[in-house]
Amino acid sequence: MSTLHTVNKSPFERNSLDSCLSVAAEGATVLLIEDAVGGALQNTAVASTVSDAMGKGVKFAVLGEDLRARGLSAERVIDGISVVDYAGFVQLACDHDNVQNWL
Amino acid sequence: MSDTKTFVYMNRKAPYGTVYALESLEVVLIGAAFEQNVKLVFMDDGVYQLTKNQDTDGIGMKNFSKTYSALGDYDVNQIYVCEQSLKDRGLTLDDLQELTYEDEDDDWAEKSSIHLVSRDQIAEIVGSADVLLNF
């Protein structure tokens, strides 16, 4: 069983990403969308949290449309995080058994 | 005007995910018509509101970021950005759009409206408020 976790709350404001990562298992994917996309950038206060989770086998993706809307360049995303579009979002949902939304 | 008050607007939310940023901007623009002393503070996720190169075509929402550049024309030129909030988000002043105004007391010289501030300075700005509005 693999799960796609979607997080849409800012990791600088809420604990949604921390809660998500506390239960995300190896092989799971965390997709950052909406207000959460800032967590995908390099050199932030949460970058080590994301990197640590990646080291434990959790994959990360971020929605490119939401990055662009906020003026954040895909080039500044942490190495290893894939930037996906809406079609990629759908594909991720199809590739996993379940989708958990961390509202 | 004899009864000028200091209005401080606290902006702490990222744009687009919630409506706070847009609502704040609209209230600021409405309030600007009353010729009051206006200060805008951007801290926490509010600093995302001022990033340059915002492109909302992909999310189907109105890009209101260009409106901030009109604030200088409404004499809204005291814009304070929390330096620590930028740093926490991997951002610098270079990531923000340039916001300027023409200083009528200095031969209409074009000056930046944006000032990087510490949390202590934000406390002073909040303390200076006659009217404090939070978004």
Side-chain angles (χ1 to χ4, degrees), chain A residues 43-63:
Chain A
N43 300 318
T44 75
V46 301
S48 62
T49 302
V50 172
S51 298
D52 289 351
M54 291 171 79
K56 291 172 184 164
V58 175
K59 286 173 282 192
F60 279 80
V62 59
L63 191 62

Side-chain angles (χ1 to χ4, degrees), chain A residues 10 43 45 68-70 76 86, chain B residues 45 48 51 55 58 88 90 95:
Chain A
S10 168
N43 300 318
R68 274 197 298 285
R70 290 154 183 80
R76 299 170 61 168
Y86 283 110
Chain B
D45 278 353
Y48 286 129
T51 56
D55 173 4
D88 287 345
D95 295 308

Side-chain angles (χ1 to χ4, degrees), chain A residues 10-14 34-35 37-39 41-46 63 65-66 68-72 76 86, chain B residues 12-18 44-45 48 51-56 58-59 63 87-92 95:
Chain A
S10 168
F12 305 105
E13 184 178 88
R14 309 281 188 90
E34 300 172 16
D35 281 351
V37 296
L41 295 198
Q42 300 164 7
N43 300 318
T44 75
V46 301
L63 191 62
E65 281 86 343
D66 281 328
R68 274 197 298 285
R70 290 154 183 80
L72 306 175
R76 299 170 61 168
Y86 283 110
Chain B
R12 295 185 49 254
K13 300 285 187 180
Y16 309 118
T18 58
D44 299 334
D45 278 353
Y48 286 129
T51 56
K52 56 188 173 190
N53 302 325
Q54 291 182 25
D55 173 4
T56 59
I59 62 170
N63 179 357
K87 189 165 180 275
D88 287 345
R89 288 158 185 77
L91 302 175
T92 67
D95 295 308

Side-chain angles (χ1 to χ4, degrees), chain B residues 9-102:
Chain B
Y9 294 82
M10 294 292 294
N11 298 287
R12 295 185 49 254
K13 300 285 187 180
Y16 309 118
T18 58
V19 80
Y20 292 99
L22 175 59
E23 291 289 322
S24 175
L25 184 57
E26 292 195 340
V27 175
V28 168
L29 288 170
I30 293 166
F34 295 93
E35 298 183 2
Q36 302 293 302
N37 182 33
V38 176
K39 302 176 183 180
L40 308 189
V41 177
F42 293 87
M43 66 182 294
D44 299 334
D45 278 353
V47 300
Y48 286 129
Q49 294 180 31
L50 299 180
T51 56
K52 56 188 173 190
N53 302 325
Q54 291 182 25
D55 173 4
T56 59
D57 287 352
I59 62 170
M61 295 177 74
K62 183 186 173 190
N63 179 357
F64 55 86
S65 68
K66 292 180 175 71
T67 311
Y68 293 102
S69 61
L71 291 172
D73 297 332
Y74 290 91
D75 290 329
V76 176
N77 51 36
Q78 301 175 79
I79 297 177
Y80 301 98
V81 177
C82 176
E83 193 163 21
Q84 185 63 47
S85 299
L86 282 175
K87 189 165 180 275
D88 287 345
R89 288 158 185 77
L91 302 175
T92 67
L93 187 58
D94 287 341
D95 295 308
L96 306 185
Q97 53 176 311
E98 289 180 28
L99 301 180
T100 60
Y101 71 105
E102 294 177 339

